[in-house]
Amino acid sequence: MYASKTHRKSTYVMLRCTPTEKRYIKIRAREAGLSVSVFLRDMGLKDSPEKRKTLPPEVLAFIGVLSGIISVLEIIARKRLDNEDLDGLERAELMFRAKEVKQLIKDIKSYLLCSEPPAPEGQPD
C-alpha cells in the first residue's frame, strides 16, 4: 500500500556532523538493520534525550579553590625538590591555602550532614 499524500516523507532535515560521526551513524544504522534516514528519524522521535548535567555554582567554586591549592602545592613541591627555602610571601600563601582547605573540609562535612549551611568564605566561625 502506498502512503497517503499527507503521510509521505517529503521534507528534509539537514544535519551537520564530522566525517567520523557520519561513519559511526552509518555503522549503527546498519547494525540496527535500518537505513540512515530511518535510524535518525527513530532516534529523533524517541523520548527526549538526556539533559546535559551542569554542575552547581558551589561545586564550580569548590573546584576553583582546589585548583588554586594545587598550583601552590606544585610550586612548594618544586622548590623543596630543588632544596630551596620558601620566601615570606610563599609561606603566607601556604598558610592562607591551609585555612582554605580547613574551611572546605568544614563546608563539605556540614553539607553532607545537612546540619547547617556552610558559612560564607571570609567569615570566621
Side-chain angles (χ1 to χ4, degrees):
M1 269 218 135
Y2 292 104
S4 69
K5 285 187 178 190
T6 57
H7 289 88
R8 272 194 207 139
K9 293 165 185 75
S10 61
T11 303
Y12 292 90
V13 175
M14 294 201 41
L15 168 75
R16 289 192 171 284
C17 62
T18 66
T20 303
E21 290 169 333
K22 182 178 177 181
R23 282 192 301 272
Y24 184 66
I25 290 168
K26 282 183 174 184
I27 290 167
R28 290 197 53 207
R30 190 175 337 118
E31 287 173 352
L34 302 170
S35 68
V36 171
S37 180
V38 172
F39 176 77
L40 290 174
R41 187 171 47 250
D42 287 352
M43 293 299 289
L45 293 174
K46 283 185 180 179
D47 291 335
S48 59
E50 287 184 23
K51 185 178 178 184
R52 290 190 178 185
K53 296 178 182 174
T54 56
L55 296 174
E58 298 84 12
V59 174
L60 295 174
F62 176 72
I63 290 169
V65 171
L66 288 178
S67 296
I69 292 168
I70 288 169
S71 65
V72 169
L73 291 175
E74 286 173 344
I75 292 169
I76 293 168
R78 193 175 320 114
K79 282 200 166 215
R80 297 308 298 154
L81 287 171
D82 293 338
N83 291 324
E84 294 180 33
D85 289 329
L86 301 175
D87 62 27
L89 182 60
E90 290 165 332
R91 279 193 209 95
E93 178 76 16
L94 183 59
M95 294 301 293
F96 175 76
R97 296 299 178 171
K99 287 179 184 177
E100 270 188 324
V101 170
K102 288 176 185 175
Q103 184 61 46
L104 284 172
I105 291 169
K106 284 181 184 179
D107 292 349
I108 291 168
K109 283 181 180 177
S110 67
Y111 179 80
L112 292 175
L113 298 174
C114 296
S115 60
E116 61 185 62
E121 279 188 37
Q123 292 185 359
D125 289 333

